[in-house]
Amino acid sequence: MLKRVVIVVSVVVAVAMAGHRLIPVLGGFTPVMESLLPWLGVAVPLLVLAALAARSKAATAAALVPGVVWGVMFGSALLRTPPGGPSDLAVGTVNVGVTNSASGEAVRSIAKDLDLLAAQELTVGGPAAKQLNKMFRHRYTVSTVGLWSRYPISDSWPVDVGLGWPRALRAVVTTPKGKVTVYVMHLASARPGHTTSRDVSLAAARELVDADFSKRILLLGDLNTATTDRGMSGLTPPLSDAQQEAGDGFGFTWPSSFPITRPDHILYKGITATKAGVAAATGSDHRAALASFRF
């Protein structure tokens, strides 16, 4: 009996990982499973132990199959070496947390070595905005999102990503090495079984990127979409993911106390990612996503 259970569960786990985008959206199950997809690897050692307990070579072989699938899909994230080398621009994005009274300290520690910082869940006149205004000469805010820069900001305007009100922005930052168009977005929230609004805002983000012919583009923000969520396939490509290209590990950012998924993203095109990672954000339930680029 144990042998059969191990074989069946092993096949299910392997198929779920390899073919997750082919699984129909079943209420709240599929989005949650895709958001936690790398964690399905935890089942592998448990299956191997169960197979050994069953003293079955067939069960042991079956238990190793999802391990191989996991290695092919996610092993590179653990073995990847960041490209490194000289960088021209250091950027970050953080959801500071609308109720976070320590958001000023959060952004101070994150932004001290950055050229650009995007923030979401800002409050008018809140501690995060006040602190960033002291640290950066240039800024542009729209509703609850904002961009702070060491370099001049121009051609800036609010953007509606399908929410019926602006919760995103577009701006051009002129760096010493050239201009880069920056989008800061906080897409609609996604909950188990309720992803329609998020999916609409993802589609709106893709339309904006497709219509933008800028040589260099950065998209920073809380997209409420995990790297492994099928929804991200609408943005990557045409954009690249800094964490996947130049990061060390998975770069999970939420929840901050024990991150298990990555809704916070730094996407780009027209530049080269040299390094990517995460940083703690005092008081927020998100960690910050960071990346450096070479023009």
Side-chain angles (χ1 to χ4, degrees), residues 171-222:
V172 175
V173 176
T174 302
T175 80
K177 291 294 184 73
K179 294 183 177 181
V180 57
T181 298
V182 182
Y183 288 91
V184 179
M185 297 183 177
H186 188 183
L187 300 189
S189 297
R191 299 287 185 271
H194 301 279
T195 63
T196 301
S197 295
R198 192 280 313 273
D199 295 342
V200 168
S201 58
L202 272 171
R206 173 61 187 267
E207 290 177 3
L208 288 166
V209 171
D210 284 344
D212 195 317
F213 296 102
S214 300
K215 180 180 179 181
R216 307 179 185 96
I217 292 179
L218 278 171
L219 193 162
L220 315 173
D222 178 359

Side-chain angles (χ1 to χ4, degrees), residues 5-231:
V5 170
V6 170
I7 292 174
V8 170
V9 173
S10 297
V11 171
V12 169
V13 172
V15 170
M17 285 192 289
H20 66 97
R21 292 187 179 181
L22 302 177
I23 300 173
V25 177
L26 304 172
F29 169 76
T30 310
V32 171
M33 183 201 71
E34 289 191 321
S35 296
L36 302 177
L37 201 63
W39 294 95
L40 289 183
V42 173
V44 175
L46 299 178
L47 288 168
V48 171
L49 289 175
L52 293 175
R55 297 181 179 181
S56 167
K57 292 182 179 180
T60 302
L64 293 175
V65 171
V68 172
V69 173
W70 190 95
V72 171
M73 293 179 66
F74 304 115
S76 60
L78 302 180
L79 300 174
R80 184 189 304 119
T81 300
S87 299
D88 301 313
L89 191 69
V91 310
T93 181
V94 61
N95 182 321
V96 298
V98 68
T99 61
N100 180 12
S101 60
S103 61
E105 171 58 26
V107 296
R108 186 197 65 78
S109 60
I110 293 166
K112 59 184 179 180
D113 297 320
L114 299 181
D115 300 307
L116 301 177
L117 180 67
Q120 304 87 50
E121 290 200 10
L122 294 166
T123 54
V124 177
K130 288 181 178 178
Q131 178 62 42
L132 289 170
N133 288 344
K134 297 176 184 177
M135 300 176 70
F136 293 90
R137 182 176 179 181
H138 308 279
R139 70 194 68 93
Y140 179 63
T141 61
V142 172
S143 183
T144 57
V145 302
L147 175 67
W148 279 262
S149 172
R150 301 198 187 282
Y151 307 120
I153 295 175
S154 62
D155 298 326
S156 52
W157 58 73
V159 172
D160 179 8
V161 284
L163 300 175
W165 55 285
R167 199 165 77 169
L169 63 86
R170 179 193 187 273
V172 175
V173 176
T174 302
T175 80
K177 291 294 184 73
K179 294 183 177 181
V180 57
T181 298
V182 182
Y183 288 91
V184 179
M185 297 183 177
H186 188 183
L187 300 189
S189 297
R191 299 287 185 271
H194 301 279
T195 63
T196 301
S197 295
R198 192 280 313 273
D199 295 342
V200 168
S201 58
L202 272 171
R206 173 61 187 267
E207 290 177 3
L208 288 166
V209 171
D210 284 344
D212 195 317
F213 296 102
S214 300
K215 180 180 179 181
R216 307 179 185 96
I217 292 179
L218 278 171
L219 193 162
L220 315 173
D222 178 359
L223 306 186
N224 276 308
T225 310
T227 304
T228 46
D229 190 309
R230 69 186 67 186

